[in-house]
């Protein structure tokens, strides 16, 4: 995130491409092979039904570990990026972003963060796998870190209730500035790696709770 620019990272594909570009060469070259440790659009272990006639597998934006064995998943990441701020974050996570493809008459897109959280809390994921919601937004906005923390916690708790999980323990990881949710009885940890431009230098990102 030290090398990405808030006005350039306008969609998930750009954020993912930047991540891949900064991987060590042996790891990045292996993507797309059975020996890779990083898998783009990795299928979820569980079935989902948001649209269509029958349940099917959803996909994680980034998956780590084995490509086909569920117990070999070591971590998963869901990505969001866009020209937006965290000001309009709602309880169910419908984040309104602008479509950069139409700067003259920009259309608004609803980004369902709550669906990302449900996937990250997939009950068939190994308990010890890392789970990261990685969001990079290009506008600073007016919302304080405390407000964003409160709204983010509501979205995670909404997803946890739908998964039949208990209330998590919440803390800030001081090294990364990420918000962590711990379900101590299972060992599950969900992290919100949420970024927006710095007030001092809007050309650079900073973690919300750094």
């Amino acid at each position: 995130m030290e090398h990405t620019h808030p006005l350039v990272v306008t969609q998930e594909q750009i954020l993912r491409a930047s991540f891949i570009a900064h991987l060590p060469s042996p790891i990045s070259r292996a993507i797309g092979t059975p020996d890779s440790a990083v898998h783009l659009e990795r299928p979820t272990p569980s079935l989902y039904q948001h649209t269509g006639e029958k349940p099917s597998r959803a996909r994680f934006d980034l998956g780590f570990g084995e490509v086909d064995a569920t117990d070999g998943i070591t971590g998963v990441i869901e990505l969001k990026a866009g020209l937006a701020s965290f000001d309009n974050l709602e309880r169910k996570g419908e984040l309104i972003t602008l479509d950069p493809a139409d700067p003259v008459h920009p259309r608004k897109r609803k980004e369902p963060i709550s669906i990302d959280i449900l996937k990250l809390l997939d009950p068939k994921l190994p308990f010890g796998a890392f789970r990261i919601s990685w969001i990079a937004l290009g506008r600073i906005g007016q919302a304080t870190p405390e407000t964003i923390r409160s709204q983010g916690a509501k979205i995670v708790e909404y997803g946890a209730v739908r998964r039949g999980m208990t209330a998590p323990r919440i803390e800030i990881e001081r090294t990364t500035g990420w918000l962590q949710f711990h379900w101590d009885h299972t060992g599950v940890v969900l992290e919100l790696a949420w970024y927006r431009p710095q007030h001092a230098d809007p050309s650079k990102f900073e973690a919300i709770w750094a």
Side-chain angles (χ1 to χ4, degrees):
M1 293 301 289
E2 294 178 359
H3 302 282
T4 57
H5 195 292
L7 294 181
V8 176
V9 182
T10 56
Q11 52 185 299
E12 294 85 278
Q13 292 90 333
I14 299 172
L15 184 60
R16 181 164 56 188
S18 180
F19 169 79
I20 293 171
H22 286 89
L23 288 173
S25 295
I27 296 177
S28 62
R29 284 199 302 267
I31 291 176
T33 72
D35 296 327
S36 178
V38 183
H39 308 286
L40 283 59
E41 301 292 333
R42 194 214 190 277
T44 58
S46 297
L47 300 178
Y48 294 78
Q49 186 169 7
H50 298 300
T51 59
E53 296 181 357
K54 61 181 181 180
S56 60
R57 295 194 186 280
R59 294 183 179 276
F60 297 114
D61 293 319
L62 291 170
F64 299 80
E66 294 188 22
V67 68
D68 54 359
T70 295
D71 59 2
I73 297 175
T74 58
V76 291
I77 298 178
E78 282 294 288
L79 303 171
K80 286 281 183 290
L83 294 176
S85 73
F86 287 95
D87 292 354
N88 52 10
L89 192 60
E90 298 176 357
R91 178 175 178 269
K92 293 185 179 181
E94 290 187 342
L95 181 65
I96 306 298
T97 65
L98 301 180
D99 185 351
D102 188 358
V104 178
H105 302 95
R107 295 171 294 170
K108 292 184 177 181
R109 299 182 299 165
K110 287 188 176 182
E111 304 285 0
I113 299 173
S114 58
I115 294 177
D116 287 0
I117 299 301
L118 282 176
K119 287 193 287 182
L120 292 169
L121 295 179
D122 190 312
K124 293 184 179 180
L125 281 173
F127 288 159
F130 64 82
R131 306 153 190 253
I132 299 173
S133 167
W134 183 4
I135 301 179
L137 298 184
R139 298 173 189 263
I140 298 174
Q142 301 297 317
T144 65
E146 292 77 15
T147 298
I148 299 170
R149 171 177 172 160
S150 175
Q151 293 298 96
K154 289 179 182 178
I155 296 170
V156 172
E157 289 164 1
Y158 170 81
V161 168
R162 291 190 60 182
R163 287 294 188 202
M165 301 171 70
T166 59
R169 173 172 59 86
I170 306 173
E171 66 181 16
I172 297 173
E173 209 294 310
R174 297 295 177 181
T175 302
T176 59
W178 298 355
L179 195 61
Q180 295 183 330
F181 297 80
H182 299 258
W183 286 267
D184 293 327
H185 62 292
T186 64
V188 171
V189 179
L190 170 64
E191 300 183 279
L192 305 188
W194 291 6
Y195 291 83
R196 65 179 176 182
Q198 300 178 14
H199 280 86
D201 185 357
S203 69
K204 296 185 179 299
F205 280 112
E206 68 177 352
I208 294 292
W209 304 284

PDB file of all heavy atoms in Angstrom, residues 132-161:
ATOM      1  N   ILE A 132      -9.194 -11.690   5.550  1.00  0.00           N
ATOM      2  CA  ILE A 132      -8.949 -10.249   5.466  1.00  0.00           C
ATOM      3  C   ILE A 132      -9.947  -9.592   4.521  1.00  0.00           C
ATOM      4  O   ILE A 132     -10.102 -10.015   3.378  1.00  0.00           O
ATOM      5  CB  ILE A 132      -7.519  -9.953   4.978  1.00  0.00           C
ATOM      6  CG1 ILE A 132      -6.487 -10.540   5.953  1.00  0.00           C
ATOM      7  CG2 ILE A 132      -7.297  -8.448   4.815  1.00  0.00           C
ATOM      8  CD1 ILE A 132      -5.053 -10.429   5.455  1.00  0.00           C
ATOM      9  N   SER A 133     -10.617  -8.553   5.018  1.00  0.00           N
ATOM     10  CA  SER A 133     -11.391  -7.651   4.172  1.00  0.00           C
ATOM     11  C   SER A 133     -10.481  -6.467   3.877  1.00  0.00           C
ATOM     12  O   SER A 133     -10.172  -5.667   4.755  1.00  0.00           O
ATOM     13  CB  SER A 133     -12.652  -7.173   4.896  1.00  0.00           C
ATOM     14  OG  SER A 133     -13.243  -6.077   4.210  1.00  0.00           O
ATOM     15  N   TRP A 134     -10.053  -6.357   2.616  1.00  0.00           N
ATOM     16  CA  TRP A 134      -9.070  -5.335   2.222  1.00  0.00           C
ATOM     17  C   TRP A 134      -9.798  -4.304   1.354  1.00  0.00           C
ATOM     18  O   TRP A 134     -10.225  -4.610   0.249  1.00  0.00           O
ATOM     19  CB  TRP A 134      -7.931  -6.011   1.466  1.00  0.00           C
ATOM     20  CG  TRP A 134      -6.801  -5.121   1.056  1.00  0.00           C
ATOM     21  CD1 TRP A 134      -6.619  -3.803   1.336  1.00  0.00           C
ATOM     22  CD2 TRP A 134      -5.668  -5.509   0.267  1.00  0.00           C
ATOM     23  NE1 TRP A 134      -5.451  -3.349   0.783  1.00  0.00           N
ATOM     24  CE2 TRP A 134      -4.855  -4.375   0.122  1.00  0.00           C
ATOM     25  CE3 TRP A 134      -5.269  -6.716  -0.322  1.00  0.00           C
ATOM     26  CZ2 TRP A 134      -3.659  -4.414  -0.598  1.00  0.00           C
ATOM     27  CZ3 TRP A 134      -4.073  -6.747  -1.043  1.00  0.00           C
ATOM     28  CH2 TRP A 134      -3.281  -5.608  -1.175  1.00  0.00           C
ATOM     29  N   ILE A 135      -9.951  -3.103   1.879  1.00  0.00           N
ATOM     30  CA  ILE A 135     -10.671  -2.042   1.173  1.00  0.00           C
ATOM     31  C   ILE A 135      -9.765  -0.821   1.043  1.00  0.00           C
ATOM     32  O   ILE A 135      -9.162  -0.384   2.029  1.00  0.00           O
ATOM     33  CB  ILE A 135     -11.968  -1.645   1.903  1.00  0.00           C
ATOM     34  CG1 ILE A 135     -12.893  -2.864   2.026  1.00  0.00           C
ATOM     35  CG2 ILE A 135     -12.680  -0.508   1.166  1.00  0.00           C
ATOM     36  CD1 ILE A 135     -14.190  -2.563   2.765  1.00  0.00           C
ATOM     37  N   ALA A 136      -9.669  -0.274  -0.161  1.00  0.00           N
ATOM     38  CA  ALA A 136      -8.880   0.939  -0.409  1.00  0.00           C
ATOM     39  C   ALA A 136      -9.770   1.941  -1.132  1.00  0.00           C
ATOM     40  O   ALA A 136     -10.153   1.719  -2.277  1.00  0.00           O
ATOM     41  CB  ALA A 136      -7.649   0.612  -1.246  1.00  0.00           C
ATOM     42  N   LEU A 137     -10.120   3.034  -0.462  1.00  0.00           N
ATOM     43  CA  LEU A 137     -11.002   4.042  -1.043  1.00  0.00           C
ATOM     44  C   LEU A 137     -10.233   5.328  -1.300  1.00  0.00           C
ATOM     45  O   LEU A 137      -9.347   5.709  -0.530  1.00  0.00           O
ATOM     46  CB  LEU A 137     -12.191   4.315  -0.115  1.00  0.00           C
ATOM     47  CG  LEU A 137     -13.102   3.109   0.154  1.00  0.00           C
ATOM     48  CD1 LEU A 137     -14.299   3.527   0.994  1.00  0.00           C
ATOM     49  CD2 LEU A 137     -13.561   2.449  -1.146  1.00  0.00           C
ATOM     50  N   GLY A 138     -10.582   6.019  -2.386  1.00  0.00           N
ATOM     51  CA  GLY A 138      -9.793   7.152  -2.855  1.00  0.00           C
ATOM     52  C   GLY A 138     -10.163   8.501  -2.302  1.00  0.00           C
ATOM     53  O   GLY A 138      -9.538   9.496  -2.675  1.00  0.00           O
ATOM     54  N   ARG A 139     -11.150   8.575  -1.414  1.00  0.00           N
ATOM     55  CA  ARG A 139     -11.546   9.860  -0.841  1.00  0.00           C
ATOM     56  C   ARG A 139     -11.442   9.800   0.679  1.00  0.00           C
ATOM     57  O   ARG A 139     -11.792   8.784   1.285  1.00  0.00           O
ATOM     58  CB  ARG A 139     -12.972  10.209  -1.269  1.00  0.00           C
ATOM     59  CG  ARG A 139     -13.111  10.357  -2.786  1.00  0.00           C
ATOM     60  CD  ARG A 139     -14.563  10.542  -3.206  1.00  0.00           C
ATOM     61  NE  ARG A 139     -14.689  10.473  -4.665  1.00  0.00           N
ATOM     62  CZ  ARG A 139     -14.728  11.525  -5.457  1.00  0.00           C
ATOM     63  NH1 ARG A 139     -14.634  12.734  -4.936  1.00  0.00           N
ATOM     64  NH2 ARG A 139     -14.846  11.378  -6.761  1.00  0.00           N
ATOM     65  N   ILE A 140     -10.985  10.903   1.270  1.00  0.00           N
ATOM     66  CA  ILE A 140     -10.789  10.931   2.721  1.00  0.00           C
ATOM     67  C   ILE A 140     -12.126  10.919   3.450  1.00  0.00           C
ATOM     68  O   ILE A 140     -12.339  10.150   4.381  1.00  0.00           O
ATOM     69  CB  ILE A 140      -9.963  12.163   3.141  1.00  0.00           C
ATOM     70  CG1 ILE A 140      -8.569  12.102   2.509  1.00  0.00           C
ATOM     71  CG2 ILE A 140      -9.856  12.259   4.661  1.00  0.00           C
ATOM     72  CD1 ILE A 140      -7.723  13.334   2.753  1.00  0.00           C
ATOM     73  N   GLY A 141     -13.042  11.781   3.021  1.00  0.00           N
ATOM     74  CA  GLY A 141     -14.340  11.840   3.671  1.00  0.00           C
ATOM     75  C   GLY A 141     -14.291  12.526   5.022  1.00  0.00           C
ATOM     76  O   GLY A 141     -13.249  13.036   5.458  1.00  0.00           O
ATOM     77  N   GLN A 142     -15.434  12.526   5.700  1.00  0.00           N
ATOM     78  CA  GLN A 142     -15.563  13.205   6.990  1.00  0.00           C
ATOM     79  C   GLN A 142     -15.630  12.240   8.170  1.00  0.00           C
ATOM     80  O   GLN A 142     -15.474  12.645   9.312  1.00  0.00           O
ATOM     81  CB  GLN A 142     -16.836  14.066   6.991  1.00  0.00           C
ATOM     82  CG  GLN A 142     -16.863  15.131   5.905  1.00  0.00           C
ATOM     83  CD  GLN A 142     -15.755  16.144   6.056  1.00  0.00           C
ATOM     84  OE1 GLN A 142     -15.475  16.610   7.169  1.00  0.00           O
ATOM     85  NE2 GLN A 142     -15.097  16.486   4.947  1.00  0.00           N
ATOM     86  N   ALA A 143     -15.887  10.978   7.916  1.00  0.00           N
ATOM     87  CA  ALA A 143     -16.077  10.016   9.002  1.00  0.00           C
ATOM     88  C   ALA A 143     -14.796   9.851   9.815  1.00  0.00           C
ATOM     89  O   ALA A 143     -13.697   9.752   9.266  1.00  0.00           O
ATOM     90  CB  ALA A 143     -16.514   8.664   8.438  1.00  0.00           C
ATOM     91  N   THR A 144     -14.932   9.816  11.125  1.00  0.00           N
ATOM     92  CA  THR A 144     -13.788   9.619  12.014  1.00  0.00           C
ATOM     93  C   THR A 144     -13.458   8.130  12.090  1.00  0.00           C
ATOM     94  O   THR A 144     -14.296   7.271  11.803  1.00  0.00           O
ATOM     95  CB  THR A 144     -14.101  10.124  13.430  1.00  0.00           C
ATOM     96  OG1 THR A 144     -15.157   9.312  13.981  1.00  0.00           O
ATOM     97  CG2 THR A 144     -14.535  11.590  13.393  1.00  0.00           C
ATOM     98  N   PRO A 145     -12.229   7.797  12.506  1.00  0.00           N
ATOM     99  CA  PRO A 145     -11.908   6.380  12.695  1.00  0.00           C
ATOM    100  C   PRO A 145     -12.867   5.686  13.662  1.00  0.00           C
ATOM    101  O   PRO A 145     -13.201   4.514  13.469  1.00  0.00           O
ATOM    102  CB  PRO A 145     -10.483   6.424  13.253  1.00  0.00           C
ATOM    103  CG  PRO A 145      -9.901   7.678  12.673  1.00  0.00           C
ATOM    104  CD  PRO A 145     -11.045   8.661  12.672  1.00  0.00           C
ATOM    105  N   GLU A 146     -13.315   6.410  14.683  1.00  0.00           N
ATOM    106  CA  GLU A 146     -14.241   5.825  15.650  1.00  0.00           C
ATOM    107  C   GLU A 146     -15.575   5.474  14.996  1.00  0.00           C
ATOM    108  O   GLU A 146     -16.162   4.417  15.258  1.00  0.00           O
ATOM    109  CB  GLU A 146     -14.463   6.786  16.819  1.00  0.00           C
ATOM    110  CG  GLU A 146     -13.252   6.989  17.715  1.00  0.00           C
ATOM    111  CD  GLU A 146     -12.203   7.918  17.094  1.00  0.00           C
ATOM    112  OE1 GLU A 146     -12.519   8.629  16.107  1.00  0.00           O
ATOM    113  OE2 GLU A 146     -11.056   7.907  17.579  1.00  0.00           O
ATOM    114  N   THR A 147     -16.067   6.370  14.118  1.00  0.00           N
ATOM    115  CA  THR A 147     -17.330   6.108  13.425  1.00  0.00           C
ATOM    116  C   THR A 147     -17.188   4.925  12.478  1.00  0.00           C
ATOM    117  O   THR A 147     -18.064   4.057  12.415  1.00  0.00           O
ATOM    118  CB  THR A 147     -17.768   7.351  12.638  1.00  0.00           C
ATOM    119  OG1 THR A 147     -17.998   8.433  13.556  1.00  0.00           O
ATOM    120  CG2 THR A 147     -19.044   7.075  11.862  1.00  0.00           C
ATOM    121  N   ILE A 148     -16.075   4.886  11.746  1.00  0.00           N
ATOM    122  CA  ILE A 148     -15.860   3.788  10.799  1.00  0.00           C
ATOM    123  C   ILE A 148     -15.717   2.472  11.558  1.00  0.00           C
ATOM    124  O   ILE A 148     -16.235   1.439  11.129  1.00  0.00           O
ATOM    125  CB  ILE A 148     -14.627   4.063   9.937  1.00  0.00           C
ATOM    126  CG1 ILE A 148     -14.823   5.351   9.132  1.00  0.00           C
ATOM    127  CG2 ILE A 148     -14.355   2.895   8.988  1.00  0.00           C
ATOM    128  CD1 ILE A 148     -13.579   5.836   8.422  1.00  0.00           C
ATOM    129  N   ARG A 149     -15.047   2.523  12.693  1.00  0.00           N
ATOM    130  CA  ARG A 149     -14.917   1.313  13.519  1.00  0.00           C
ATOM    131  C   ARG A 149     -16.291   0.821  13.965  1.00  0.00           C
ATOM    132  O   ARG A 149     -16.597  -0.374  13.896  1.00  0.00           O
ATOM    133  CB  ARG A 149     -14.047   1.599  14.740  1.00  0.00           C
ATOM    134  CG  ARG A 149     -14.039   0.459  15.752  1.00  0.00           C
ATOM    135  CD  ARG A 149     -13.110   0.728  16.911  1.00  0.00           C
ATOM    136  NE  ARG A 149     -13.257  -0.287  17.939  1.00  0.00           N
ATOM    137  CZ  ARG A 149     -12.352  -0.564  18.876  1.00  0.00           C
ATOM    138  NH1 ARG A 149     -11.220   0.113  18.883  1.00  0.00           N
ATOM    139  NH2 ARG A 149     -12.552  -1.493  19.771  1.00  0.00           N
ATOM    140  N   SER A 150     -17.138   1.735  14.409  1.00  0.00           N
ATOM    141  CA  SER A 150     -18.478   1.355  14.863  1.00  0.00           C
ATOM    142  C   SER A 150     -19.294   0.740  13.738  1.00  0.00           C
ATOM    143  O   SER A 150     -19.947  -0.297  13.914  1.00  0.00           O
ATOM    144  CB  SER A 150     -19.194   2.588  15.426  1.00  0.00           C
ATOM    145  OG  SER A 150     -20.535   2.286  15.772  1.00  0.00           O
ATOM    146  N   GLN A 151     -19.259   1.370  12.556  1.00  0.00           N
ATOM    147  CA  GLN A 151     -20.016   0.855  11.429  1.00  0.00           C
ATOM    148  C   GLN A 151     -19.447  -0.476  10.939  1.00  0.00           C
ATOM    149  O   GLN A 151     -20.195  -1.395  10.596  1.00  0.00           O
ATOM    150  CB  GLN A 151     -20.021   1.865  10.285  1.00  0.00           C
ATOM    151  CG  GLN A 151     -20.781   3.152  10.599  1.00  0.00           C
ATOM    152  CD  GLN A 151     -22.251   2.878  10.882  1.00  0.00           C
ATOM    153  OE1 GLN A 151     -22.646   2.749  12.037  1.00  0.00           O
ATOM    154  NE2 GLN A 151     -23.050   2.797   9.838  1.00  0.00           N
ATOM    155  N   GLY A 152     -18.113  -0.581  10.903  1.00  0.00           N
ATOM    156  CA  GLY A 152     -17.496  -1.841  10.505  1.00  0.00           C
ATOM    157  C   GLY A 152     -17.856  -2.970  11.456  1.00  0.00           C
ATOM    158  O   GLY A 152     -18.127  -4.099  11.022  1.00  0.00           O
ATOM    159  N   ALA A 153     -17.876  -2.673  12.756  1.00  0.00           N
ATOM    160  CA  ALA A 153     -18.232  -3.689  13.743  1.00  0.00           C
ATOM    161  C   ALA A 153     -19.673  -4.153  13.553  1.00  0.00           C
ATOM    162  O   ALA A 153     -19.975  -5.346  13.696  1.00  0.00           O
ATOM    163  CB  ALA A 153     -18.033  -3.138  15.153  1.00  0.00           C
ATOM    164  N   LYS A 154     -20.570  -3.229  13.211  1.00  0.00           N
ATOM    165  CA  LYS A 154     -21.964  -3.609  12.988  1.00  0.00           C
ATOM    166  C   LYS A 154     -22.095  -4.564  11.801  1.00  0.00           C
ATOM    167  O   LYS A 154     -22.877  -5.514  11.836  1.00  0.00           O
ATOM    168  CB  LYS A 154     -22.815  -2.355  12.745  1.00  0.00           C
ATOM    169  CG  LYS A 154     -23.032  -1.503  13.985  1.00  0.00           C
ATOM    170  CD  LYS A 154     -23.852  -0.268  13.646  1.00  0.00           C
ATOM    171  CE  LYS A 154     -24.043   0.625  14.867  1.00  0.00           C
ATOM    172  NZ  LYS A 154     -24.805   1.856  14.532  1.00  0.00           N
ATOM    173  N   ILE A 155     -21.323  -4.288  10.747  1.00  0.00           N
ATOM    174  CA  ILE A 155     -21.376  -5.160   9.564  1.00  0.00           C
ATOM    175  C   ILE A 155     -20.858  -6.555   9.914  1.00  0.00           C
ATOM    176  O   ILE A 155     -21.456  -7.570   9.541  1.00  0.00           O
ATOM    177  CB  ILE A 155     -20.555  -4.556   8.415  1.00  0.00           C
ATOM    178  CG1 ILE A 155     -21.164  -3.235   7.964  1.00  0.00           C
ATOM    179  CG2 ILE A 155     -20.478  -5.519   7.237  1.00  0.00           C
ATOM    180  CD1 ILE A 155     -20.294  -2.449   7.006  1.00  0.00           C
ATOM    181  N   VAL A 156     -19.742  -6.617  10.642  1.00  0.00           N
ATOM    182  CA  VAL A 156     -19.185  -7.913  11.017  1.00  0.00           C
ATOM    183  C   VAL A 156     -20.133  -8.656  11.955  1.00  0.00           C
ATOM    184  O   VAL A 156     -20.366  -9.871  11.791  1.00  0.00           O
ATOM    185  CB  VAL A 156     -17.801  -7.738  11.671  1.00  0.00           C
ATOM    186  CG1 VAL A 156     -17.295  -9.058  12.240  1.00  0.00           C
ATOM    187  CG2 VAL A 156     -16.801  -7.194  10.664  1.00  0.00           C
ATOM    188  N   GLU A 157     -20.710  -7.954  12.926  1.00  0.00           N
ATOM    189  CA  GLU A 157     -21.627  -8.605  13.854  1.00  0.00           C
ATOM    190  C   GLU A 157     -22.882  -9.086  13.142  1.00  0.00           C
ATOM    191  O   GLU A 157     -23.444 -10.131  13.483  1.00  0.00           O
ATOM    192  CB  GLU A 157     -21.963  -7.640  14.993  1.00  0.00           C
ATOM    193  CG  GLU A 157     -20.764  -7.430  15.927  1.00  0.00           C
ATOM    194  CD  GLU A 157     -20.918  -6.210  16.824  1.00  0.00           C
ATOM    195  OE1 GLU A 157     -21.968  -5.531  16.733  1.00  0.00           O
ATOM    196  OE2 GLU A 157     -19.985  -5.938  17.608  1.00  0.00           O
ATOM    197  N   TYR A 158     -23.333  -8.339  12.140  1.00  0.00           N
ATOM    198  CA  TYR A 158     -24.472  -8.758  11.318  1.00  0.00           C
ATOM    199  C   TYR A 158     -24.146 -10.073  10.619  1.00  0.00           C
ATOM    200  O   TYR A 158     -24.951 -11.013  10.602  1.00  0.00           O
ATOM    201  CB  TYR A 158     -24.780  -7.657  10.305  1.00  0.00           C
ATOM    202  CG  TYR A 158     -25.773  -8.018   9.225  1.00  0.00           C
ATOM    203  CD1 TYR A 158     -27.149  -7.981   9.474  1.00  0.00           C
ATOM    204  CD2 TYR A 158     -25.343  -8.369   7.941  1.00  0.00           C
ATOM    205  CE1 TYR A 158     -28.059  -8.311   8.472  1.00  0.00           C
ATOM    206  CE2 TYR A 158     -26.244  -8.692   6.942  1.00  0.00           C
ATOM    207  CZ  TYR A 158     -27.597  -8.652   7.211  1.00  0.00           C
ATOM    208  OH  TYR A 158     -28.493  -8.975   6.209  1.00  0.00           O
ATOM    209  N   GLY A 159     -22.932 -10.162  10.035  1.00  0.00           N
ATOM    210  CA  GLY A 159     -22.519 -11.395   9.378  1.00  0.00           C
ATOM    211  C   GLY A 159     -22.351 -12.541  10.361  1.00  0.00           C
ATOM    212  O   GLY A 159     -22.712 -13.683  10.057  1.00  0.00           O
ATOM    213  N   ALA A 160     -21.811 -12.244  11.548  1.00  0.00           N
ATOM    214  CA  ALA A 160     -21.606 -13.290  12.552  1.00  0.00           C
ATOM    215  C   ALA A 160     -22.941 -13.877  13.015  1.00  0.00           C
ATOM    216  O   ALA A 160     -23.068 -15.093  13.194  1.00  0.00           O
ATOM    217  CB  ALA A 160     -20.837 -12.717  13.738  1.00  0.00           C
ATOM    218  N   VAL A 161     -23.935 -13.020  13.202  1.00  0.00           N
ATOM    219  CA  VAL A 161     -25.264 -13.505  13.604  1.00  0.00           C
ATOM    220  C   VAL A 161     -25.832 -14.427  12.531  1.00  0.00           C
ATOM    221  O   VAL A 161     -26.387 -15.495  12.831  1.00  0.00           O
ATOM    222  CB  VAL A 161     -26.212 -12.319  13.859  1.00  0.00           C
ATOM    223  CG1 VAL A 161     -27.656 -12.799  13.983  1.00  0.00           C
ATOM    224  CG2 VAL A 161     -25.797 -11.582  15.126  1.00  0.00           C
TER     225      VAL A 161
END
